[in-house]
């Protein structure tokens, strides 16, 4: 998202001597070569007269730039975890420049999820509209179905988020299939479906009974809890 980090680099100098800005973080999905950003951090020219009276940038009253490469903005929960790990009680000011398609509503969702106390400032300069808004299907059926809806995450308390992530993990585990499924017969000694387990008896009646019991123990695909299927 941050690209080459021109805005972040300029901001580091613009907000020099500003105690409100302690740190600048660049996020991008790609692992970009940011050697010029490191050069800005290492810039030691602190004297306009160039008389060699220099000091490392870390000793200057200028915010340092951190780079978060391989950071997908769409993985909102991972982004939130990293933001929440930042030193408190400092606040986050989020700036999104040239965010394409669904990156803009995702950015708004991150701000909402952080809450006004943690992230009181957002500056968003979006690029193109999400496909759900401009696609031919959306334009064709807009008069019949109304305007398309783009989901944006809202604020949730830490306890609500913990509960949601736990439920999501249960659903993800319940949806595992094939070679990734847990065998109930050998108590998980190997990631394979039960019908491929080497402990299955040869008697067909016993095999069917085992399959029936395994189906009853299997978690619901919707909520991840055992004892019922998703239709119930």
């Amino acid at each position: 998202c941050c690209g080459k980090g021109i805005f972040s680099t300029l901001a580091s100098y613009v907000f020099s001597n500003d105690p409100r800005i302690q740190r600048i973080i660049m996020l991008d999905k790609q692992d970009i070569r940011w050697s010029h950003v490191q050069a800005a951090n290492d810039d030691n020219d602190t004297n306009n007269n160039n008389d060699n009276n220099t000091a490392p940038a870390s000793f200057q009253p200028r915010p340092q730039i951190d780079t978060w490469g391989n950071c997908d903005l769409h993985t909102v929960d991972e982004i939130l975890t990293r933001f929440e790990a930042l030193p408190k009680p400092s606040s986050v000011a989020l700036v999104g420049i040239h965010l394409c398609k669904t990156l803009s509503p995702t950015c708004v969702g991150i701000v909402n999820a952080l809450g006004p106390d943690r992230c009181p400032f957002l500056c968003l300069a979006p690029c193109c509209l999400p496909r759900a808004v401009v696609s031919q299907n959306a334009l064709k059926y807009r008069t019949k179905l109304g305007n398309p809806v783009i989901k944006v995450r809202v604020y949730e308390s830490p306890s609500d988020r913990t509960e949601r992530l736990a439920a999501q993990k249960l659903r993800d585990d319940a949806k595992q299939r094939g070679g990734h499924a847990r065998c109930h017969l050998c108590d998980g000694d190997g990631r394979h479906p039960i019908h491929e387990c080497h402990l299955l008896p040869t008697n067909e009646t016993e095999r069917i009974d085992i399959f029936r019991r395994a189906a009853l123990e299997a978690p619901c695909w919707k909520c991840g809890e055992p004892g019922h299927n998703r239709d119930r």
Side-chain angles (χ1 to χ4, degrees), residues 24-41:
I24 297 174
I25 301 175
M26 296 168 39
L27 290 78
D28 202 283
K29 186 176 181 180
Q30 304 298 322
D31 189 10
I32 298 176
R33 183 179 178 182
W34 283 312
S35 56
H36 57 291
V37 175
Q38 186 59 47
N41 282 336

Side-chain angles (χ1 to χ4, degrees), residues 26-232:
M26 296 168 39
L27 290 78
D28 202 283
K29 186 176 181 180
Q30 304 298 322
D31 189 10
I32 298 176
R33 183 179 178 182
W34 283 312
S35 56
H36 57 291
V37 175
Q38 186 59 47
N41 282 336
D42 294 339
D43 179 19
N44 59 7
D45 186 3
T46 61
N47 191 290
N48 293 329
N49 296 323
N50 296 321
D51 62 354
N52 294 323
N53 182 17
T54 61
S58 58
F59 292 96
Q60 298 180 34
R62 179 165 62 84
Q64 298 294 282
I65 306 172
D66 292 343
T67 54
W68 290 1
N70 297 316
C71 191
D72 187 354
L73 200 65
H74 289 302
T75 56
V76 176
D77 288 314
E78 295 180 12
I79 299 294
L80 291 176
T81 299
R82 297 190 70 171
F83 275 135
E84 290 171 351
L86 295 175
K88 295 180 180 179
S90 60
S91 300
V92 176
L94 198 59
V95 178
I97 301 176
H98 206 269
L99 298 186
C100 296
K101 295 183 170 59
T102 56
L103 282 176
S104 289
T106 299
C107 181
V108 173
I110 290 175
V111 174
N112 289 342
L114 287 171
D117 293 333
R118 189 65 165 150
C119 185
F121 177 86
L122 167 66
C123 177
L124 179 61
C127 177
C128 48
L129 294 172
R131 189 171 300 168
V133 176
V134 299
S135 68
Q136 292 300 315
N137 287 335
L139 295 174
K140 181 178 179 180
Y141 295 107
R142 181 171 298 175
T143 55
K144 297 180 180 179
L145 304 178
N147 292 328
V149 175
I150 300 174
K151 294 183 179 180
V152 177
R153 184 169 297 206
V154 297
Y155 176 76
E156 57 183 351
S157 66
S159 59
D160 289 340
R161 182 175 174 231
T162 300
E163 184 177 345
R164 176 179 58 79
L165 292 177
Q168 182 63 50
K169 186 179 186 307
L170 286 174
R171 286 193 294 270
D172 292 343
D173 292 343
K175 291 179 180 179
Q176 291 181 348
R177 286 187 169 189
H180 301 288
R182 177 180 179 272
C183 175
H184 295 272
L185 186 60
C186 60
D187 197 23
D189 183 18
R191 307 293 288 185
H192 54 259
I194 191 170
H195 65 270
E196 295 181 1
C197 184
H198 66 283
L199 296 180
L200 276 174
T202 57
N203 183 276
E204 186 65 22
T205 302
E206 293 180 4
R207 292 166 66 95
I208 292 176
D209 183 62
I210 290 173
F211 293 154
R212 185 180 293 111
R213 285 189 283 110
L216 293 175
E217 296 174 1
C220 168
W221 281 25
K222 187 173 184 180
C223 69
E225 295 291 343
H228 62 271
N229 55 38
R230 59 183 175 181
D231 296 329
R232 296 180 182 178

